[in-house]
Amino acid sequence: MAEAPPFKIEEVPAELVFEIEHTFKASAEQLFRAFTGKDLLVQWFGPEGWSVPAESAEVDPRVGGVWKFTMVNDDDPSMTSPSNAVFATLEPNKLIEGIETMPAADGEEPGYLYMRIEFKEEGDKTHLKITQGPLPTEYHEPGAQGWTSSFNKLQALVSEI
């Protein structure tokens, strides 16, 4: 992977920023582990009807470490969605920032998708806020549906760990 650029979500135009928030019945530590631990990530990531095969995942939770995996449609395994990111910031149980390299057309520079995940404990619950961009507005609603579905799987997992 070529070196990713600096994390610059603040420079993304407002209309291309996607945000979603959710409160979980879990500690920030449980949620942080679910995002940064390969064995946990593969159990929940992706909307219902999609899974992440363990052999597709590589997670090295350190600044500059990789966060790679491929989501596969359960009904049609030929439908896949790879993610190839690097951790830009890791503050245990508080903040994850990552930069995903987007494939480039021949002769063009790759694009980047920035993601910030914020964890805020509120008693016995944790409020999660995910910010992504640049993400064209036509992807905001499908993104919200996908994350909400993933959150159902994540809540079930953290209830067990």
Side-chain angles (χ1 to χ4, degrees):
M1 169 190 237
E3 188 172 320
F7 190 80
K8 295 181 179 182
I9 200 162
E10 291 79 12
E11 296 179 12
V12 173
E15 67 274 9
L16 299 179
V17 174
F18 167 78
E19 292 183 341
I20 189 165
E21 300 184 43
H22 188 84
T23 300
F24 289 88
K25 295 176 188 170
S27 69
E29 189 269 338
Q30 288 171 303
L31 291 169
F32 189 86
R33 283 181 34 221
F35 275 92
T36 60
K38 173 188 168 182
D39 293 342
L40 296 175
L41 183 78
V42 300
Q43 292 180 56
W44 73 270
F45 201 92
E48 292 164 345
W50 292 75
S51 56
V52 175
E55 63 274 8
S56 79
E58 181 181 353
V59 180
D60 181 8
R62 62 180 176 83
V63 172
V66 297
W67 198 22
K68 294 170 53 170
F69 51 86
T70 300
M71 292 185 295
V72 178
N73 184 281
D74 296 339
D75 293 331
D76 181 0
S78 70
M79 290 178 57
T80 63
S81 180
S83 178
N84 186 9
V86 63
F87 289 106
T89 306
L90 283 169
E91 294 178 24
N93 311 327
K94 294 184 183 337
L95 178 67
I96 298 171
E97 291 178 330
I99 304 168
E100 183 175 356
T101 303
M102 307 305 285
D106 288 340
E108 292 185 19
E109 290 292 316
Y112 298 99
L113 177 68
Y114 304 103
M115 181 163 64
R116 175 179 287 140
I117 306 165
E118 300 170 80
F119 306 82
K120 183 179 179 188
E121 279 195 334
E122 300 171 344
D124 63 347
K125 298 178 181 175
T126 300
H127 187 77
L128 188 75
K129 179 179 179 183
I130 296 177
T131 307
Q132 293 177 291
L135 196 63
T137 56
E138 62 265 24
Y139 294 109
H140 290 196
E141 182 58 33
Q145 291 172 0
W147 276 115
T148 299
S149 180
S150 293
F151 292 160
N152 294 335
K153 293 164 58 176
L154 178 56
Q155 182 63 66
L157 175 66
V158 295
S159 296
E160 297 174 6
I161 60 173

